[in-house]
Amino acid sequence: MAGDASGIPELDQDKYDADEEVKIICLGDSAVGKSKLMERFLLDGYRPQQLSTYALTLYKYTTTIDSKAVLVDLWDTAGQERFQSMHPSYYHKAHASIMVRLHTSC
């Protein structure tokens, strides 16, 4: 990536040009596996340990559906109690949400 005079790399905008954009938020309690779900989908991999998400992590994913380029913004939210009353901007214009919950057998 080329940088400007400040030495900050420029964003490869072509990578994020799309015909359609979709926003999906991932919600759930702390330590239920929201980040691991994102990691498994985006990286097709798994690391057994990870630090807790702080507030929000945004991932970008590009795909093609019906010959159209689609940019998917995946918002991985923190599940800690202090973030349960999230600012409405997290949900603003979201197309879908993924609710992750820990399943325990009875």
Side-chain angles (χ1 to χ4, degrees), residues 49-92:
Q49 297 176 346
Q50 179 173 322
L51 298 174
S52 292
T53 302
Y54 180 78
L56 173 79
T57 303
L58 174 63
Y59 299 99
K60 293 199 174 281
Y61 175 77
T62 54
T63 189
T64 303
I65 300 174
D66 294 331
S67 301
K68 289 186 178 181
V70 179
L71 174 63
V72 182
D73 286 337
L74 295 159
W75 294 49
D76 179 15
T77 60
Q80 289 86 349
E81 188 173 301
R82 65 183 178 262
F83 296 114
Q84 285 186 358
S85 57
M86 286 193 281
H87 192 275
S89 63
Y90 289 142
Y91 303 97
H92 184 68

Side-chain angles (χ1 to χ4, degrees), residues 29-33 99-106:
D29 289 335
S30 182
V32 296
M99 301 294 292
V100 182
R101 140 174 190 221
L102 184 63
H103 176 72
T104 56
S105 49
C106 298

